[in-house]
Coordinates of all heavy atoms in Angstrom, one line a residue:
T810 N -77.4 -24.0 -11.0 CA -77.7 -22.7 -11.6 C -77.3 -21.6 -10.7 O -77.7 -20.5 -10.8 CB -79.2 -22.6 -11.8 OG1 -80.0 -22.7 -10.6 CG2 -79.7 -23.6 -12.8
L811 N -76.4 -21.8 -9.7 CA -75.9 -20.8 -8.8 C -75.2 -19.7 -9.6 O -75.4 -18.5 -9.4 CB -75.1 -21.3 -7.7 CG -74.6 -20.3 -6.7 CD1 -75.7 -19.6 -6.0 CD2 -73.6 -20.9 -5.7
Y812 N -74.3 -20.1 -10.6 CA -73.6 -19.1 -11.4 C -74.6 -18.2 -12.1 O -74.4 -17.0 -12.1 CB -72.7 -19.8 -12.4 CG -71.8 -18.9 -13.1 CD1 -70.4 -18.7 -12.7 CD2 -72.2 -18.1 -14.2 CE1 -69.6 -17.8 -13.4 CE2 -71.4 -17.2 -14.8 CZ -70.0 -17.1 -14.4 OH -69.2 -16.2 -15.1
Q813 N -75.6 -18.8 -12.7 CA -76.6 -17.9 -13.4 C -77.4 -17.0 -12.4 O -77.7 -15.9 -12.8 CB -77.6 -18.9 -14.1 CG -76.9 -19.6 -15.3 CD -77.8 -20.8 -15.7 OE1 -78.9 -21.0 -15.3 NE2 -77.2 -21.6 -16.7
Y814 N -77.6 -17.5 -11.2 CA -78.3 -16.7 -10.2 C -77.4 -15.5 -9.8 O -77.9 -14.4 -9.7 CB -78.5 -17.6 -8.9 CG -79.3 -16.9 -7.9 CD1 -80.5 -16.3 -8.1 CD2 -78.8 -16.9 -6.5 CE1 -81.3 -15.7 -7.1 CE2 -79.6 -16.3 -5.5 CZ -80.8 -15.7 -5.8 OH -81.5 -15.1 -4.8
V815 N -76.1 -15.7 -9.7 CA -75.2 -14.6 -9.4 C -75.2 -13.6 -10.6 O -75.2 -12.4 -10.4 CB -73.8 -15.1 -9.1 CG1 -72.7 -14.0 -9.1 CG2 -73.7 -15.9 -7.8
E816 N -75.2 -14.2 -11.8 CA -75.2 -13.3 -13.0 C -76.5 -12.5 -13.0 O -76.5 -11.3 -13.3 CB -75.2 -14.2 -14.2 CG -74.8 -13.5 -15.5 CD -74.5 -14.5 -16.6 OE1 -74.9 -15.6 -16.5 OE2 -73.9 -14.0 -17.6
E817 N -77.6 -13.0 -12.5 CA -78.9 -12.3 -12.5 C -78.8 -11.2 -11.4 O -79.2 -10.0 -11.7 CB -80.0 -13.2 -12.1 CG -80.3 -14.2 -13.2 CD -81.2 -15.4 -12.7 OE1 -82.0 -15.1 -11.7 OE2 -81.2 -16.5 -13.3
I818 N -78.4 -11.5 -10.2 CA -78.5 -10.5 -9.1 C -77.3 -9.5 -9.1 O -77.4 -8.6 -8.4 CB -78.6 -11.2 -7.7 CG1 -77.3 -12.0 -7.4 CG2 -79.8 -12.1 -7.6 CD1 -77.3 -12.7 -6.1
A819 N -76.4 -9.8 -10.0 CA -75.2 -8.8 -10.1 C -75.7 -7.4 -10.5 O -75.0 -6.4 -10.2 CB -74.2 -9.3 -11.1
H820 N -76.9 -7.4 -11.1 CA -77.4 -6.1 -11.6 C -78.3 -5.4 -10.6 O -78.9 -4.4 -10.9 CB -78.2 -6.3 -12.9 CG -77.3 -6.8 -14.0 ND1 -77.0 -8.1 -14.2 CD2 -76.8 -6.1 -15.1 CE1 -76.2 -8.3 -15.2 NE2 -76.0 -7.1 -15.8
A821 N -78.4 -6.0 -9.4 CA -79.2 -5.4 -8.3 C -78.5 -4.2 -7.7 O -79.2 -3.3 -7.0 CB -79.6 -6.4 -7.3
H822 N -77.2 -4.1 -7.8 CA -76.5 -3.0 -7.1 C -75.1 -2.8 -7.8 O -74.5 -3.8 -8.2 CB -76.3 -3.3 -5.6 CG -75.8 -2.2 -4.8 ND1 -74.5 -1.7 -4.8 CD2 -76.5 -1.4 -3.9 CE1 -74.4 -0.7 -4.0 NE2 -75.6 -0.5 -3.4
P823 N -74.7 -1.6 -8.0 CA -73.4 -1.3 -8.7 C -72.2 -2.0 -8.0 O -71.3 -2.5 -8.7 CB -73.3 0.2 -8.7 CG -74.7 0.7 -8.6 CD -75.4 -0.3 -7.8
A824 N -72.3 -2.1 -6.7 CA -71.2 -2.8 -6.0 C -71.1 -4.2 -6.3 O -70.1 -4.8 -6.4 CB -71.3 -2.5 -4.5
L825 N -72.3 -4.9 -6.4 CA -72.4 -6.3 -6.8 C -71.9 -6.5 -8.2 O -71.2 -7.5 -8.5 CB -73.8 -6.8 -6.7 CG -74.4 -6.9 -5.2 CD1 -75.8 -7.4 -5.3 CD2 -73.6 -7.9 -4.4
Y826 N -72.2 -5.5 -9.1 CA -71.8 -5.7 -10.5 C -70.3 -5.6 -10.6 O -69.6 -6.3 -11.3 CB -72.5 -4.6 -11.4 CG -72.2 -4.8 -12.8 CD1 -72.9 -5.8 -13.5 CD2 -71.3 -4.0 -13.5 CE1 -72.7 -6.0 -14.9 CE2 -71.1 -4.2 -14.9 CZ -71.8 -5.2 -15.5 OH -71.6 -5.5 -16.9
R827 N -69.7 -4.7 -9.8 CA -68.2 -4.6 -9.8 C -67.6 -5.9 -9.3 O -66.6 -6.4 -9.9 CB -67.7 -3.4 -9.0 CG -68.0 -2.0 -9.6 CD -67.3 -0.9 -8.9 NE -67.6 -0.8 -7.5 CZ -68.6 -0.1 -7.0 NH1 -69.4 0.7 -7.9 NH2 -68.9 0.0 -5.7
A828 N -68.2 -6.5 -8.3 CA -67.7 -7.8 -7.8 C -67.8 -8.8 -8.9 O -66.9 -9.7 -9.0 CB -68.5 -8.1 -6.6
Y829 N -68.9 -8.8 -9.6 CA -69.2 -9.8 -10.6 C -68.1 -9.7 -11.7 O -67.6 -10.7 -12.2 CB -70.6 -9.6 -11.2 CG -70.9 -10.4 -12.4 CD1 -70.9 -11.8 -12.4 CD2 -71.2 -9.8 -13.6 CE1 -71.2 -12.5 -13.5 CE2 -71.5 -10.5 -14.8 CZ -71.5 -11.9 -14.7 OH -71.8 -12.6 -15.9
I830 N -67.8 -8.5 -12.1 CA -66.7 -8.3 -13.2 C -65.4 -8.8 -12.7 O -64.6 -9.4 -13.4 CB -66.6 -6.8 -13.5 CG1 -68.0 -6.3 -14.2 CG2 -65.5 -6.5 -14.5 CD1 -68.4 -7.1 -15.4
N831 N -65.1 -8.6 -11.4 CA -63.8 -9.2 -10.8 C -63.8 -10.7 -10.9 O -62.8 -11.3 -11.1 CB -63.6 -8.6 -9.4 CG -62.8 -7.4 -9.4 OD1 -62.4 -6.8 -10.4 ND2 -62.6 -6.8 -8.2
I832 N -65.0 -11.3 -10.6 CA -65.1 -12.7 -10.6 C -64.8 -13.2 -12.1 O -64.1 -14.3 -12.3 CB -66.4 -13.2 -10.2 CG1 -66.6 -13.0 -8.7 CG2 -66.6 -14.7 -10.4 CD1 -68.0 -13.2 -8.1
L833 N -65.3 -12.5 -13.1 CA -65.1 -13.0 -14.5 C -63.6 -13.0 -14.8 O -63.2 -13.8 -15.7 CB -65.8 -12.0 -15.4 CG -67.4 -12.0 -15.3 CD1 -67.9 -11.0 -16.3 CD2 -68.0 -13.4 -15.5
S834 N -62.8 -12.1 -14.2 CA -61.4 -12.0 -14.5 C -60.6 -13.2 -13.9 O -59.4 -13.3 -14.2 CB -60.8 -10.7 -14.1 OG -60.8 -10.6 -12.7
E835 N -61.2 -13.9 -13.0 CA -60.5 -15.0 -12.3 C -60.4 -16.3 -13.1 O -61.4 -17.1 -13.1 CB -61.1 -15.3 -10.9 CG -60.8 -14.1 -9.9 CD -59.4 -14.1 -9.5 OE1 -58.7 -15.1 -9.6 OE2 -59.0 -13.1 -9.0
N836 N -59.4 -16.5 -13.9 CA -59.3 -17.8 -14.7 C -59.1 -19.0 -13.8 O -59.4 -20.1 -14.3 CB -58.1 -17.6 -15.6 CG -58.3 -16.6 -16.7 OD1 -59.4 -16.4 -17.2 ND2 -57.3 -15.8 -17.0
T837 N -58.7 -18.9 -12.6 CA -58.5 -20.1 -11.7 C -59.8 -20.8 -11.5 O -59.8 -22.0 -11.2 CB -57.9 -19.7 -10.4 OG1 -58.7 -18.7 -9.8 CG2 -56.5 -19.1 -10.6
L838 N -60.9 -20.1 -11.6 CA -62.2 -20.8 -11.3 C -62.6 -21.9 -12.3 O -63.3 -22.8 -12.0 CB -63.3 -19.8 -11.2 CG -63.2 -18.7 -10.1 CD1 -64.4 -17.8 -10.1 CD2 -63.0 -19.4 -8.7
T839 N -62.0 -21.7 -13.5 CA -62.4 -22.7 -14.6 C -62.1 -24.1 -14.2 O -62.9 -25.0 -14.5 CB -61.7 -22.3 -15.9 OG1 -61.9 -20.9 -16.2 CG2 -62.1 -23.2 -17.0
K840 N -61.0 -24.4 -13.5 CA -60.6 -25.7 -13.2 C -61.5 -26.4 -12.2 O -61.5 -27.6 -12.0 CB -59.2 -25.8 -12.7 CG -58.8 -25.1 -11.4 CD -57.4 -25.3 -11.1 CE -57.0 -24.6 -9.9 NZ -55.5 -24.7 -9.6
F841 N -62.3 -25.6 -11.5 CA -63.3 -26.2 -10.5 C -64.7 -26.4 -11.1 O -65.5 -27.0 -10.4 CB -63.4 -25.2 -9.3 CG -62.1 -25.0 -8.6 CD1 -61.4 -23.8 -8.7 CD2 -61.5 -26.0 -7.8 CE1 -60.2 -23.6 -8.0 CE2 -60.3 -25.9 -7.1 CZ -59.6 -24.7 -7.3
Q842 N -64.9 -25.9 -12.3 CA -66.2 -26.0 -12.8 C -66.4 -27.4 -13.4 O -65.6 -28.0 -14.0 CB -66.4 -25.0 -14.0 CG -67.8 -24.9 -14.6 CD -68.9 -24.5 -13.6 OE1 -69.3 -25.2 -12.7 NE2 -69.3 -23.2 -13.7
S843 N -67.6 -28.0 -13.2 CA -68.0 -29.3 -13.7 C -68.0 -29.3 -15.2 O -68.0 -28.2 -15.8 CB -69.3 -29.7 -13.1 OG -70.3 -28.8 -13.5
I844 N -68.0 -30.5 -15.8 CA -67.9 -30.5 -17.2 C -69.2 -30.1 -17.9 O -69.2 -29.6 -19.0 CB -67.5 -32.0 -17.7 CG1 -67.1 -31.9 -19.2 CG2 -68.7 -32.9 -17.5 CD1 -66.4 -33.2 -19.6
S845 N -70.3 -30.2 -17.2 CA -71.6 -29.8 -17.8 C -72.6 -29.5 -16.6 O -72.2 -29.6 -15.5 CB -72.2 -30.8 -18.8 OG -72.6 -31.9 -18.1
S846 N -73.8 -29.2 -17.0 CA -74.8 -28.9 -16.0 C -76.1 -29.5 -16.3 O -76.4 -29.8 -17.5 CB -75.0 -27.4 -15.9 OG -76.1 -27.0 -15.1
K847 N -76.9 -29.7 -15.2 CA -78.3 -30.2 -15.5 C -79.2 -29.1 -16.1 O -80.2 -29.4 -16.6 CB -78.9 -30.7 -14.1 CG -78.2 -31.9 -13.5 CD -78.9 -32.2 -12.2 CE -78.6 -31.3 -11.1 NZ -79.1 -31.7 -9.7
S848 N -78.8 -27.9 -15.9 CA -79.6 -26.7 -16.4 C -78.9 -26.2 -17.7 O -77.7 -26.3 -17.9 CB -79.6 -25.7 -15.3 OG -80.2 -24.5 -15.8
P849 N -79.7 -25.6 -18.6 CA -79.1 -25.0 -19.8 C -78.3 -23.8 -19.4 O -78.4 -23.2 -18.3 CB -80.4 -24.6 -20.6 CG -81.5 -24.5 -19.6 CD -81.2 -25.5 -18.6
F850 N -77.4 -23.4 -20.4 CA -76.6 -22.2 -20.2 C -77.3 -21.0 -20.7 O -77.9 -21.0 -21.8 CB -75.3 -22.4 -21.1 CG -74.5 -21.2 -21.3 CD1 -73.8 -20.6 -20.2 CD2 -74.4 -20.5 -22.5 CE1 -73.0 -19.5 -20.4 CE2 -73.7 -19.4 -22.7 CZ -73.0 -18.9 -21.7
Y851 N -77.4 -20.0 -19.9 CA -78.1 -18.7 -20.2 C -77.1 -17.7 -20.8 O -76.1 -17.4 -20.1 CB -78.8 -18.1 -19.0 CG -80.0 -18.9 -18.5 CD1 -80.3 -18.9 -17.2 CD2 -80.7 -19.7 -19.4 CE1 -81.4 -19.7 -16.7 CE2 -81.8 -20.4 -19.0 CZ -82.2 -20.4 -17.6 OH -83.2 -21.1 -17.2
Y852 N -77.4 -17.3 -22.0 CA -76.5 -16.3 -22.6 C -77.2 -14.9 -22.5 O -78.3 -14.7 -23.1 CB -76.2 -16.6 -24.1 CG -75.4 -15.5 -24.7 CD1 -74.0 -15.4 -24.5 CD2 -76.0 -14.6 -25.6 CE1 -73.3 -14.4 -25.1 CE2 -75.3 -13.6 -26.2 CZ -74.0 -13.5 -26.0 OH -73.2 -12.5 -26.6
F853 N -76.7 -14.0 -21.7 CA -77.3 -12.7 -21.6 C -76.6 -11.6 -22.5 O -77.2 -10.9 -23.2 CB -77.2 -12.2 -20.1 CG -78.0 -13.0 -19.2 CD1 -77.4 -13.9 -18.3 CD2 -79.4 -12.9 -19.1 CE1 -78.1 -14.7 -17.4 CE2 -80.1 -13.7 -18.2 CZ -79.5 -14.5 -17.4
D854 N -75.3 -11.5 -22.4 CA -74.5 -10.6 -23.1 C -73.1 -11.0 -23.2 O -72.8 -12.2 -22.8 CB -74.6 -9.2 -22.5 CG -74.2 -9.1 -21.0 OD1 -73.3 -9.9 -20.6 OD2 -74.8 -8.3 -20.3
S855 N -72.2 -10.2 -23.6 CA -70.8 -10.6 -23.8 C -70.1 -11.1 -22.5 O -69.2 -11.9 -22.5 CB -70.0 -9.5 -24.4 OG -70.1 -8.3 -23.6
N856 N -70.6 -10.6 -21.4 CA -70.1 -11.1 -20.1 C -70.3 -12.5 -19.9 O -69.6 -13.2 -19.1 CB -70.7 -10.2 -18.9 CG -70.1 -8.9 -18.8 OD1 -68.9 -8.7 -19.1 ND2 -70.8 -7.9 -18.4
S857 N -71.4 -13.1 -20.5 CA -71.7 -14.5 -20.3 C -70.6 -15.3 -20.9 O -70.4 -16.5 -20.5 CB -73.0 -14.8 -21.0 OG -74.1 -14.1 -20.4

């Protein structure tokens, strides 16, 4: 659930949120993500 944790704390500071938006634009990360998770997927908004 680390990705979800980052998604949660991204709203703690505008500088963190800008960093989070930059992470979302990185398509290279998809190939490192596991096929599924032990935890459910949290949908917050369109950024999810």
Side-chain angles (χ1 to χ4, degrees):
T810 60
L811 181 60
Y812 188 99
Q813 293 164 5
Y814 184 53
V815 168
E816 197 169 16
E817 293 166 23
I818 64 177
H820 296 79
H822 193 284
L825 292 177
Y826 189 75
R827 289 194 297 271
Y829 172 61
I830 296 301
N831 269 359
I832 291 173
L833 296 182
S834 67
E835 288 289 340
N836 292 321
T837 55
L838 297 182
T839 304
K840 66 180 177 181
F841 299 105
Q842 186 63 284
S843 59
I844 195 165
S845 70
S846 170
K847 294 181 286 187
S848 173
F850 167 71
Y851 290 149
Y852 176 78
F853 294 106
D854 55 31
S855 57
N856 283 328
S857 300

